[in-house]
Amino acid sequence: MSLSANETSIESLDLTPSPRLLEVLGDIPYKPWQCLAELVDNAFDDFLSDKDRGPSEPPAVQVTLPKPGTADGDEFVCVADNGRGMSLEQFERSLRAGYSLNSRYGSLGLFGMGFNIATANLGSVTEVRTTRSGDSDWLIAEIDFREMQRQGSFTVPLRREPKADPYMHGTEVMVRQLRADKRAPLRRQQVATTIREQLGRVYSYLLRSRDALPELPETELAGRGFGLYVNGTVVRPRLPCVWSSSRTVSYQGSEISAIQRIDRNLTPAWACQDCGHWNRGAAVESCTECESENLELRERRIIGWVGIQRYLSTSDFGIDFLRNGRKILISDQSVFQWENPDTGETMVEYPIELGATQGGRIVGEIHLDHVPVTYQKNDFKRDSLDWVTALNEVRGEGPLQPMKAKAQGYEANGSPVGRLFNAFRRNDAGTKCLIPGDGSGPLHEKARNWASLFRKGLPEYQTDDKWYEAAQQHDDIKQGKHKPVSRTPRGPGPKHDNRREDGSSAADDLLDRTGLGGDSQPEEGSDRQQPTLPIPQPQPETEEQRYARYRQNARRIADLSSVVSVAHLGKRSIAVFDTPEPLVDHSGRSTPCVSHTLRGNAIEVFVHGDHEVFREYGRDPRDYAIIEIAEALRALANTDDSVARVAAEVTEQFRDQRFTEAALRERSDALLGRIREGMSGVAASHAAALWASLGAEEKQAAERHAAGAEPRLVWREATENGSFIPHLRPEGFAVLVRAHPALLLDGTVFSTTWSTWNDQEARYRQVERIARLLGTVGEFVADTGGKTRLELAMMRLTLDVLEGEISEVNTQ
């Protein structure tokens, strides 16, 4: 039949996708843990929305992976939960590709699409079982991608299976016929451990108890008590190891807490439940993107915290961003980059210089439930206005570095990250920067080891007391507070008379009371017979009392107190103390170092730091302590290994004791960074005079460095506003010290006095001492050739002296 010009033919098109679509979903790049997380998301969504669940049945998800010995073809992956289960209608809709039972912004995941992508990535056959409390049967559906493709149909059979317990409820997803690229890896034990650790990171906020970190701000999702298990082993939340909010450092006259809280309420908006677009306005009738009327007014809130970790790491730092309790971004470090809005140039701001080779320590948790995420849930949509607003709230709009911010026309960055960056950017040992130390330098490796014990749940490492004690002891050593106490000499061995500091003893007290001591004499002519009383003899000091006395005023040497494991000799817990008490060995002879074994094969080592071998011969007490540890290990293991070999192996386990060129270069960078900070403050108002003092060689070297480090820097402006300072060599600093001691000494950049001396020769020596130190550092930094042990020793002493000369006023 022909159609007239005004008639239209109406036909239908079958747009049902090919079943091949489900198999293709398996090619979307997902890691095994991501597949499992998609299925866990659905279970946690049900837990979060279940307002009627009582405390008698904690919500839990069990993940089962193939065991190492499983035969080929018998492997399966299973994720089972004890949620509410689904009705028949809910069950059918939830398995439909692309359908979501959950609202777009009120849940962790989209069951339909996320479910199909996850299962298709794992294997070709998926069986789903669900039941509700009170139902008589399990509802069971099997999705076989290959069979559906052969039939050309999405229809799958539904079967029912009676259940023994009518009150049982939950959902179970089992994937069989695993993909070849997943089958072998999932059988490895290490993969199960890795998956468990990753899930512990992703769900740490939902898994941890409410009182795990009481100082940190929480949302209503915290402390839900969810249980998550992989092959029967509990998934433990990975808790942030941060300093307490009561710990502060001084910065520009203010005390900056190690924890900065964030809580900002944004204007509520209408969230489209179909496309996810946020519609702003007081009265919105339909979505401006898809015209849907399925809108819901939702609050928008940025809540969380940023803080300082108790240790530095080259990778384990950054901010976690969460959506509905699940971490979407983990240890994200993009917050430490600043993008110039005019040029698009991106600049990494943290960690830079100041010991940057050790990494960073700014961490945090930020909840952004209103910000849309990518379909893989591995990032937020960074082009959305909501993400940009949140990022500015956390890190500010301008550069973190004060000089860079000023040069770009921004005010000082007062954001939470900006405050932490400026107050904690230095990594110097001591309480001023909250870095554990040993009196000579930072204990970065030790701090990281303690963090691993924190995450293993050892009680003494849960608070930051251990870290703070080491930082405080560093300060005490530097200030000379840990010097031997003046005491009345004791006898050479354990049989001394236990006299007090005034020389008296308990026996003297008894003689005084009975009239038999001192100058008391019988009256002349008296025939009164004086009573004869036995004079009590002092009791020998027991070994336990002797070690308690050693321990009483001792200082723990933190960098030598750890768990030591030596091949064939076992693992021992070691604690080393520097004590003002003179020490004796088992035979009562004086010794610079002694040890004894406690219960559980723990070893205590005591070193008398004022022994003449240290005081007069310059030996390092740590070396003697290591020899004593080695000897104690040999005795416990009854081995004939030489002391030298064991001592060498023990030494290698204390990485903070490394005496290497790389370690000294790192320390040099940190000290030069502090000097640059101090000089930058002076250069802001004296740039012209400082620049004019430099010779042609130093000016040329600074310009070349700037061209490589900051190619967009306007060099003429840098010489006028003082921003050339960060590009000077140490030799350039020496030139400025010689030319402008009145500007740079007397506590401004260097604590060395200058103006208080009237004699010109005295003034000259003060200036030259600082200049020579800077010159020595410059030679070391510039010379990349191999260094001898003596050259490294000289450099360490130079850095020790220079560190003591840097003022604390303008480098905070």
Side-chain angles (χ1 to χ4, degrees):
M1 181 181 66
S2 61
L3 298 175
S4 65
N6 295 326
E7 290 181 320
T8 302
S9 174
I10 301 177
E11 301 179 37
S12 61
L13 298 175
D14 184 2
L15 299 182
T16 302
S18 165
R20 168 68 177 158
L21 169 66
L22 295 181
E23 190 172 12
V24 171
L25 291 178
D27 296 328
I28 296 176
Y30 266 56
K31 296 178 181 178
W33 74 263
Q34 288 179 292
C35 299
L36 297 170
E38 285 287 351
L39 304 178
V40 173
D41 278 351
N42 294 311
F44 280 4
D45 273 333
D46 183 70
F47 296 157
L48 291 170
S49 62
D50 186 0
K51 308 300 182 183
D52 300 325
R53 178 182 288 267
S56 60
E57 188 180 12
V61 177
Q62 303 279 350
V63 177
T64 303
L65 303 177
K67 301 296 191 299
T70 306
D72 289 343
D74 292 341
E75 306 93 345
F76 68 87
V77 171
C78 181
V79 177
D81 66 66
N82 61 352
R84 289 171 295 182
M86 291 177 277
S87 67
L88 177 59
E89 182 182 6
Q90 291 172 329
F91 190 44
E92 180 181 13
R93 289 185 303 179
S94 66
L95 299 182
R96 191 179 305 157
Y99 177 79
S100 174
L101 186 66
N102 302 318
S103 61
R104 181 72 179 263
Y105 284 97
S107 312
L108 294 175
L110 306 175
F111 195 111
M113 187 59 72
F115 164 81
N116 282 286
I117 294 175
T119 55
N121 259 270
L122 292 172
S124 61
V125 177
T126 301
E127 180 182 278
V128 186
R129 303 160 57 92
T130 188
T131 189
R132 299 174 300 175
S133 178
D135 289 349
S136 58
D137 300 320
W138 285 93
L139 300 178
I140 305 172
E142 183 175 277
I143 303 172
D144 187 331
F145 294 147
R146 294 190 178 94
E147 182 63 25
M148 293 172 67
Q149 187 175 352
R150 282 194 295 269
Q151 295 180 358
S153 170
F154 273 89
T155 303
V156 297
L158 172 73
R159 57 190 176 91
R160 299 174 183 268
E161 182 178 295
K163 62 182 184 182
D165 183 358
Y167 297 103
M168 181 180 295
H169 53 89
T171 300
E172 178 182 298
V173 179
M174 179 181 292
V175 183
R176 302 190 306 274
Q177 296 186 22
L178 302 185
R179 292 169 61 112
D181 60 330
K182 298 291 194 303
R183 188 183 307 130
L186 285 174
R187 282 192 296 193
R188 292 200 294 267
Q189 182 62 38
Q190 183 57 42
V191 171
T193 301
T194 301
I195 289 175
R196 193 179 299 116
E197 291 175 351
Q198 185 63 26
L199 294 179
R201 283 176 174 265
V202 171
Y203 297 109
S204 64
Y205 193 78
L206 294 171
L207 296 177
R208 71 192 189 211
S209 62
R210 181 171 288 274
D211 58 351
L213 297 165
E215 290 191 328
L216 301 182
E218 297 175 333
T219 71
E220 63 277 4
L221 300 181
R224 291 303 184 102
F226 292 176
L228 181 58
Y229 303 82
V230 175
N231 283 353
T233 301
V234 65
V235 174
R236 300 191 180 279
R238 193 176 194 278
L239 304 179
C241 182
V242 292
W243 289 94
S244 165
S245 60
S246 63
R247 307 295 189 191
T248 63
V249 301
S250 297
Y251 177 70
Q252 295 185 344
S254 300
E255 292 297 315
I256 307 299
S257 170
I259 298 293
Q260 299 288 315
R261 298 170 180 268
I262 299 172
D263 192 351
R264 181 184 173 191
N265 285 310
L266 306 174
T267 304
W270 295 90
C272 177
Q273 302 303 291
D274 292 332
C275 75
H277 179 69
W278 286 92
N279 298 267
R280 294 167 177 82
V284 179
E285 296 182 357
S286 62
C287 176
T288 58
E289 285 288 316
C290 68
E291 299 184 353
S292 169
E293 297 181 0
N294 185 16
L295 304 178
E296 184 173 332
L297 186 64
R298 290 185 176 271
E299 72 168 13
R300 298 182 304 135
R301 185 183 182 194
I302 303 171
I303 183 173
W305 59 272
V306 291
I308 298 298
Q309 202 163 236
R310 301 178 204 167
Y311 60 96
L312 284 96
S313 173
T314 55
S315 59
D316 186 18
F317 71 98
I319 312 300
D320 297 340
F321 289 93
L322 297 83
R323 175 180 176 271
N324 294 307
R326 170 184 166 160
K327 293 185 178 180
I328 303 299
L329 291 173
I330 297 177
S331 299
D332 181 65
Q333 296 168 16
S334 66
V335 294
F336 307 131
Q337 300 175 3
W338 181 72
E339 181 178 343
N340 189 320
D342 299 325
T343 65
E345 177 188 6
T346 299
M347 175 175 60
V348 177
E349 298 191 277
Y350 177 84
I352 53 173
E353 54 185 3
L354 306 177
T357 55
Q358 288 289 345
R361 54 177 178 150
I362 298 179
V363 295
E365 291 180 331
I366 309 297
H367 297 263
L368 303 176
D369 295 350
H370 65 287
V371 181
V373 299
T374 62
Y375 78 92
Q376 284 184 296
K377 300 180 194 171
N378 57 4
D379 203 349
F380 288 87
K381 293 187 176 179
R382 299 192 180 225
D383 58 350
S384 68
L385 178 61
D386 292 311
W387 169 259
V388 175
T389 300
L391 191 63
N392 289 341
E393 180 70 20
V394 174
R395 65 135 291 137
E397 293 187 40
L400 298 174
Q401 303 171 76
M403 294 292 290
K404 290 288 191 301
K406 183 177 180 181
Q408 295 292 335
Y410 290 89
E411 297 292 331
N413 194 316
S415 69
V417 170
R419 289 193 292 271
L420 293 180
F421 169 82
N422 287 294
F424 292 89
R425 65 182 296 189
R426 282 171 45 190
N427 295 328
D428 302 333
T431 57
K432 290 184 178 179
C433 299
L434 291 184
I435 294 287
D438 63 354
S440 61
L443 297 175
H444 295 314
E445 192 70 27
K446 177 65 65 178
R448 287 188 281 267
N449 290 338
W450 288 344
S452 66
L453 298 176
F454 161 85
R455 293 203 165 91
K456 290 179 180 178
L458 273 67
E460 64 179 305
Y461 295 92
Q462 296 311 296
T463 69
D464 63 8
D465 291 345
K466 181 78 68 175
W467 286 260
Y468 193 80
E469 177 187 359
Q472 183 67 63
Q473 286 185 354
H474 174 89
D475 292 344
D476 291 343
I477 296 171
K478 299 293 287 186
Q479 296 167 13
K481 293 182 180 180
H482 276 304
K483 292 183 177 178
V485 180
S486 176
R487 296 175 179 271
T488 303
R490 301 182 183 275
K495 295 186 178 181
H496 59 75
D497 63 359
N498 284 320
R499 289 185 175 272
R500 306 188 184 99
E501 293 192 17
D502 62 359
S504 65
S505 67
D508 296 331
D509 292 341
L510 181 59
L511 292 173
D512 290 340
R513 291 196 301 271
T514 59
L516 296 177
D519 295 329
S520 177
Q521 298 291 335
E523 296 181 10
E524 187 176 348
S526 171
D527 58 358
R528 180 166 62 88
Q529 185 176 1
Q530 297 297 324
T532 301
L533 296 176
I535 299 177
Q537 297 297 316
Q539 295 297 315
E541 185 181 41
T542 66
E543 181 178 274
E544 187 58 38
Q545 290 171 333
R546 178 158 56 95
Y547 282 107
R549 174 165 53 82
Y550 294 161
R551 198 181 301 110
Q552 184 175 8
N553 294 307
R555 173 185 63 85
R556 180 189 288 263
I557 302 178
D559 56 323
L560 289 183
S561 299
S562 182
V563 175
V564 172
S565 179
V566 178
H568 311 301
L569 302 185
K571 182 183 294 185
R572 299 288 185 269
S573 177
I574 308 293
V576 181
F577 299 89
D578 183 356
T579 178
E581 294 284 341
L583 303 174
V584 295
D585 61 18
H586 66 280
S587 63
R589 294 177 298 180
S590 177
T591 180
C593 189
V594 71
S595 67
H596 75 132
T597 303
L598 305 174
R599 291 181 180 178
N601 284 337
I603 299 173
E604 269 188 342
V605 179
F606 293 93
V607 181
H608 178 40
D610 199 42
H611 192 278
E612 64 179 5
V613 75
F614 308 130
R615 186 181 64 253
E616 299 179 12
Y617 293 88
R619 300 305 178 190
D620 191 337
R622 285 174 172 78
D623 291 339
Y624 276 68
I626 288 175
I627 293 173
E628 189 68 28
I629 294 171
E631 183 57 44
L633 291 173
R634 291 177 69 251
L636 286 171
N638 192 24
T639 179
D640 58 358
D641 287 358
S642 70
V643 174
R645 192 201 68 77
V646 178
E649 193 164 345
V650 170
T651 301
E652 291 171 356
Q653 298 193 36
F654 298 115
R655 295 183 61 81
D656 283 310
Q657 290 292 314
R658 287 175 297 173
F659 185 51
T660 64
E661 182 176 347
L664 291 176
R665 286 188 179 277
E666 176 188 325
R667 189 178 172 199
S668 299
D669 290 342
L671 291 181
L672 292 174
R674 292 172 57 186
I675 294 171
R676 290 187 181 98
E677 283 188 272
M679 285 196 173
S680 294
V682 176
S685 53
H686 298 87
L690 294 177
W691 178 250
S693 302
L694 295 170
E697 183 180 355
E698 291 305 322
K699 288 181 177 179
Q700 187 179 51
E703 186 172 357
R704 286 175 177 172
H705 183 274
E710 296 183 79
R712 296 183 181 276
L713 183 67
V714 180
W715 186 243
R716 179 180 56 79
E717 294 179 1
T719 63
E720 295 172 352
N721 61 25
S723 55
F724 67 88
I725 289 291
H727 305 290
L728 289 180
R729 302 185 303 181
E731 293 88 345
F733 296 150
V735 171
L736 296 182
V737 167
R738 289 188 174 103
H740 300 282
L743 290 178
L744 304 177
L745 304 188
D746 291 320
T748 303
V749 177
F750 300 97
S751 58
T752 309
T753 58
W754 181 78
S755 61
T756 59
W757 300 95
N758 296 320
D759 182 75
Q760 291 302 314
E761 180 64 24
R763 285 187 168 190
Y764 173 79
R765 285 199 298 266
Q766 294 290 82
V767 170
E768 282 304 304
R769 185 173 76 255
I770 298 300
R772 282 196 300 270
L773 290 171
L774 290 168
T776 302
V777 175
E779 292 175 6
F780 175 79
V781 172
D783 183 6
T784 57
K787 305 292 191 301
T788 66
R789 184 176 63 86
L790 291 177
E791 287 174 326
L792 294 175
M794 184 184 74
M795 188 58 200
R796 182 172 68 171
L797 292 175
T798 299
L799 295 176
D800 287 343
V801 176
L802 182 60
E803 183 175 18
E805 296 293 342
I806 300 176
S807 172
E808 297 291 341
V809 176
N810 286 323
T811 58
Q812 282 289 351

